[in-house]
């Protein structure tokens, strides 16, 4: 992949020079660090804001209500493993962080849930069904409020920052359903 990247940069530079786009290339080269800094700064601030919001949710006990509401769905998806309170708490906070579009924060609770699921795994050489389910749901990237993506679209000057939203929901839900069906068909656990 690195070779493809290197050669594509060389080819694009040659095409730009052949098409006499030197000024546009230089402007893009000079503007890029500022754009990257602004994007980085806004993503960090957004993660801090929503991370604090997630902390407030956990400290106020709202997580308990959320967990209670999702318990039947979790039992259907994950099975009896959710009877373990620690695993259930990690899975709940992981889902909540994903629904708010906080992939980085969701990763922390997802990794902790994965570690706890590994402790219950009877086969240490391969992942258990709940572990694979966690990976499928996290990989799908389903988010009800994709805060980071909305912020990036707004910063980049999108005319309609919500235009992608119905497609994102449809794709995320489809990936989860198809992934879980394929997992159940392949895995005869």
């Amino acid at each position: 992949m690195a070779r493809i990247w290197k050669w594509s940069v060389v080819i694009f530079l040659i095409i730009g020079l052949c098409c006499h786009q030197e000024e546009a290339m230089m402007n893009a080269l000079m503007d890029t660090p500022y754009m990257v800094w602004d994007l980085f700064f806004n993503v960090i601030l957004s993660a801090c804001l929503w991370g604090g919001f997630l902390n407030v949710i956990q400290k106020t006990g709202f997580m308990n209500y959320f967990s209670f509401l999702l318990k039947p769905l979790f039992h259907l998806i994950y099975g009896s493993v959710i009877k373990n309170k620690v695993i259930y708490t990690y899975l709940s906070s992981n889902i909540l962080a994903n629904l708010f579009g906080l992939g980085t924060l969701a990763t922390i609770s997802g990794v902790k849930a994965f570690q706890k699921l590994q402790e219950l795994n009877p086969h240490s050489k391969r992942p258990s069904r709940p572990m694979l389910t966690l990976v499928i749901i996290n990989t799908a990237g389903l988010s009800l409020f994709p805060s980071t993506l909305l912020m990036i679209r707004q910063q980049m000057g999108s005319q309609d920052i919500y235009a992608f939203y119905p497609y994102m929901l449809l794709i995320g839900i489809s990936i989860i359903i198809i992934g879980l069906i394929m997992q159940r068909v392949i895995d005869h656990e």
Side-chain angles (χ1 to χ4, degrees):
M1 190 65 172
R3 287 182 184 154
I4 293 173
W5 173 251
K6 285 184 228 177
W7 284 107
S8 62
V9 168
V10 169
I11 291 170
F12 293 139
L13 285 173
I14 292 171
I15 291 172
L17 292 173
C18 290
C19 295
H20 303 291
Q21 296 295 319
E22 298 87 4
E23 186 176 340
M25 289 173 23
M26 191 55 86
N27 288 338
L29 187 63
M30 294 301 169
D31 289 342
T32 301
Y34 297 109
M35 291 174 57
V36 169
W37 171 252
D38 289 342
L39 183 62
F40 173 76
F41 188 68
N42 286 332
V43 167
I44 294 298
L45 288 178
S46 176
C48 290
L49 171 73
W50 290 106
F53 184 64
L54 188 60
N55 243 353
V56 168
I57 287 173
Q58 289 174 337
K59 299 289 184 197
T60 59
F62 181 75
M63 183 66 81
N64 296 334
Y65 298 118
F66 177 75
S67 298
F68 177 75
L69 291 174
L70 287 181
K71 197 159 196 160
L73 180 64
F74 274 37
H75 186 68
L76 177 69
I77 294 173
Y78 286 103
S80 62
V81 77
I82 65 163
K83 291 179 183 174
N84 183 320
K85 186 172 171 71
V86 175
I87 291 174
Y88 185 60
T89 302
Y90 286 137
L91 290 174
S92 298
S93 61
N94 176 267
I95 292 293
L96 185 61
N98 275 326
L99 290 178
F100 280 125
L102 305 171
T104 306
L105 298 173
T107 301
I108 296 167
S109 56
V111 167
K112 290 180 180 178
F114 203 82
Q115 289 170 342
K116 292 296 180 184
L117 288 169
Q118 180 61 30
E119 292 173 8
L120 299 177
N121 188 4
H123 312 288
S124 62
K125 298 292 183 191
R126 66 181 183 99
S128 64
R129 178 181 276 184
M131 292 167 79
L132 292 173
T133 301
L134 177 63
V135 170
I136 291 169
I137 291 174
N138 275 316
T139 304
L142 180 64
S143 178
L144 296 180
F145 187 72
S147 56
T148 305
L149 190 55
L150 291 172
M151 184 270 313
I152 290 171
R153 287 179 58 87
Q154 181 181 19
Q155 184 180 0
M156 292 295 149
S158 174
Q159 298 298 319
D160 185 8
I161 62 173
Y162 295 104
F164 72 98
Y165 191 73
Y167 306 108
M168 182 206 65
L169 284 178
L170 179 66
I171 291 169
I173 292 170
S174 299
I175 289 172
I176 289 174
I177 291 171
I178 292 169
L180 291 177
I181 288 172
M182 287 178 62
Q183 176 202 10
R184 297 314 197 261
V185 168
I186 293 171
D187 186 21
H188 300 290
E189 195 174 286

